[in-house]
Amino acid sequence: MPGMDEVLAARRAARASRGSGRTNVVAIFILIVSLLAGVVVTASTQNPGWLIIAVIAGIFLSQSPKIAKQWERAVVLHLGKYTGLRGPGLFWIVPFVETISIYIDQRVITTSFAAEETLTSDTVPVNVDAVLFWMVHDSEKAALEVQDYAQAVSWAAQTGLRDIIGRTSLSDLLRGRERIEAELQALIDQRSNPWGVTVQSVEMRDIVIPTSLQDAMSREAQASREKSARIILGQAEVEIAQLFFQAAKSYENNPTALHLRAMNILYEGLKEKGALMVVPSNVVESMGLGGMMGAAALRQQTLSDANPKPASAAD
């Protein structure tokens, strides 16, 4: 439901749109001129009746001039019957015979609305806040077809939002905001078009779900990410095994290439300073690795002689 401030603002806007209670400078000027004329005539004739007549005439004539703002249209009723729209600017009516029932605001209007503790199709309570952007495209229908078009649009938006939430699952509600906004806009527009109102857009500001459900969804997302990581790791292991299988086929009928590869692996491991590798003796004899291991050991000794350790202070 809308907050108290929004309700008060809507009420103030509704009072401002009514025809009664509006004063303008032209009406005040006519009233002042009538009073001055009555005072002058009374002073010259010494008859106070002229002042009373001037006051009555001033009040009567001051009801005739009306002013509508640039974005407004005034709905004029002649003895209760609709006669047309007036404005913007200055216009005149017949006092006490013609009345202004309402001033229609034709600007784009924003209305905040919400659906609190509404159950989704999978019975999850959610709170949804949204903003409606709409405008009056037919002032005559807005004045004649509905009692309070602004309040009617607000209620239509709230009921439409609850209707859509009730037939949408939580996952669709969280992931498909654009689709839901478009569906809600079409639904509200369908309801408000007979009132001369068109909906420009609907924006969902926030979707609040219970805290316990948020924790469960967080754990579910974490488990899903761990599952994806394990699947990727398994796929990598499969690809590596396939590459090893292809390499084994290449070395199957070429023992020389296999020996060269083994020698390269041993050399790369032994050439690092301080490295230690344990190799079975039969592998050394079968692959002739004695010379290579001696060369690697000689290289390590050379590197050690080139970088002698600094003498200690005791020496």
Side-chain angles (χ1 to χ4, degrees), residues 46-59:
Q46 299 298 321
N47 185 1
W50 290 106
L51 181 59
I52 297 174
I53 295 174
V55 170
I56 296 174
I59 294 175

Side-chain angles (χ1 to χ4, degrees), residues 36-74:
L36 292 177
V39 170
V40 171
V41 174
T42 300
S44 61
T45 60
Q46 299 298 321
N47 185 1
W50 290 106
L51 181 59
I52 297 174
I53 295 174
V55 170
I56 296 174
I59 294 175
F60 181 81
L61 295 176
S62 64
Q63 302 298 316
S64 181
K66 302 293 181 181
I67 295 178
K69 298 177 183 178
Q70 180 64 38
W71 55 86
E72 292 178 335
R73 297 296 182 271

Side-chain angles (χ1 to χ4, degrees), residues 1-22:
M1 296 294 291
M4 183 59 66
D5 294 338
E6 296 174 355
V7 173
L8 294 177
R11 290 178 178 177
R12 287 194 297 267
R15 287 196 299 266
S17 64
R18 300 298 175 182
S20 59
R22 281 199 174 193

Side-chain angles (χ1 to χ4, degrees), residues 118-141:
T118 305
L119 294 178
T120 61
S121 61
D122 47 357
T123 65
V124 177
V126 294
N127 297 337
V128 181
D129 293 332
V131 179
L132 178 68
F133 298 87
W134 58 279
M135 65 178 298
V136 177
H137 67 86
D138 191 332
S139 300
E140 180 178 346
K141 289 183 178 180

Side-chain angles (χ1 to χ4, degrees), residues 227-299:
K227 176 183 176 181
S228 301
R230 292 180 180 273
I231 291 175
I232 293 173
L233 181 60
Q235 292 175 349
E237 293 289 344
V238 171
E239 293 178 0
I240 292 172
Q242 291 177 353
L243 293 176
F244 280 153
F245 179 73
Q246 295 175 3
K249 283 188 174 181
S250 301
Y251 293 133
E252 182 179 4
N253 298 321
N254 194 346
T256 303
L258 178 60
H259 289 174
L260 291 174
R261 177 58 181 160
M263 292 171 63
N264 179 261
I265 293 174
L266 288 173
Y267 178 75
E268 293 294 334
L270 292 172
K271 73 178 182 179
E272 297 294 333
K273 185 178 180 180
L276 177 63
M277 180 175 292
V278 179
V279 182
S281 59
N282 59 346
V283 175
V284 176
E285 294 174 359
S286 63
M287 299 178 62
L289 299 178
M292 185 190 69
M293 296 176 66
L298 179 61
R299 177 176 175 81

Side-chain angles (χ1 to χ4, degrees), residues 6-305:
E6 296 174 355
V7 173
L8 294 177
R11 290 178 178 177
R12 287 194 297 267
R15 287 196 299 266
S17 64
R18 300 298 175 182
S20 59
R22 281 199 174 193
T23 58
N24 58 77
V25 64
V26 179
I28 295 174
F29 177 77
I30 292 175
L31 182 59
I32 293 174
V33 170
S34 300
L35 291 176
L36 292 177
V39 170
V40 171
V41 174
T42 300
S44 61
T45 60
Q46 299 298 321
N47 185 1
W50 290 106
L51 181 59
I52 297 174
I53 295 174
V55 170
I56 296 174
I59 294 175
F60 181 81
L61 295 176
S62 64
Q63 302 298 316
S64 181
K66 302 293 181 181
I67 295 178
K69 298 177 183 178
Q70 180 64 38
W71 55 86
E72 292 178 335
R73 297 296 182 271
V75 179
V76 180
L77 301 179
H78 182 83
L79 295 177
K81 183 179 180 180
Y82 172 77
T83 58
L85 301 174
R86 304 286 180 85
L90 176 66
F91 60 95
W92 303 80
I93 62 173
V94 179
F96 304 108
V97 176
E98 294 181 338
T99 57
I100 306 297
S101 63
I102 191 174
Y103 288 88
I104 304 296
D105 192 336
Q106 293 190 321
R107 296 175 294 182
V108 175
I109 302 173
T110 58
T111 300
S112 299
F113 61 100
E116 296 182 357
E117 299 295 331
T118 305
L119 294 178
T120 61
S121 61
D122 47 357
T123 65
V124 177
V126 294
N127 297 337
V128 181
D129 293 332
V131 179
L132 178 68
F133 298 87
W134 58 279
M135 65 178 298
V136 177
H137 67 86
D138 191 332
S139 300
E140 180 178 346
K141 289 183 178 180
L144 302 180
E145 301 296 334
V146 63
Q147 181 181 10
D148 188 342
Y149 65 91
Q151 189 66 26
V153 170
S154 177
W155 284 115
Q158 291 185 34
T159 55
L161 180 59
R162 288 180 176 272
D163 184 22
I164 290 178
I165 292 175
R167 47 190 171 90
T168 305
S169 63
L170 179 61
S171 58
D172 293 338
L173 187 64
L174 296 176
R175 298 173 184 174
R177 283 196 178 191
E178 294 182 357
R179 180 186 62 82
I180 294 174
E181 289 172 353
E183 185 178 354
L184 182 58
Q185 177 181 349
L187 180 61
I188 301 173
D189 203 27
Q190 180 182 2
R191 295 179 178 179
S192 60
N193 262 332
W195 308 331
V197 173
T198 181
V199 178
Q200 293 190 338
S201 65
V202 179
E203 302 291 339
M204 297 177 65
R205 294 188 298 182
D206 192 17
I207 300 176
V208 181
I209 60 178
T211 305
S212 58
L213 185 58
Q214 293 180 15
D215 297 337
M217 293 176 64
S218 177
R219 291 193 299 269
E220 180 183 358
Q222 183 177 359
S224 177
R225 287 193 294 268
E226 291 180 357
K227 176 183 176 181
S228 301
R230 292 180 180 273
I231 291 175
I232 293 173
L233 181 60
Q235 292 175 349
E237 293 289 344
V238 171
E239 293 178 0
I240 292 172
Q242 291 177 353
L243 293 176
F244 280 153
F245 179 73
Q246 295 175 3
K249 283 188 174 181
S250 301
Y251 293 133
E252 182 179 4
N253 298 321
N254 194 346
T256 303
L258 178 60
H259 289 174
L260 291 174
R261 177 58 181 160
M263 292 171 63
N264 179 261
I265 293 174
L266 288 173
Y267 178 75
E268 293 294 334
L270 292 172
K271 73 178 182 179
E272 297 294 333
K273 185 178 180 180
L276 177 63
M277 180 175 292
V278 179
V279 182
S281 59
N282 59 346
V283 175
V284 176
E285 294 174 359
S286 63
M287 299 178 62
L289 299 178
M292 185 190 69
M293 296 176 66
L298 179 61
R299 177 176 175 81
Q300 289 184 1
Q301 183 64 34
T302 303
L303 293 174
S304 299
D305 296 340

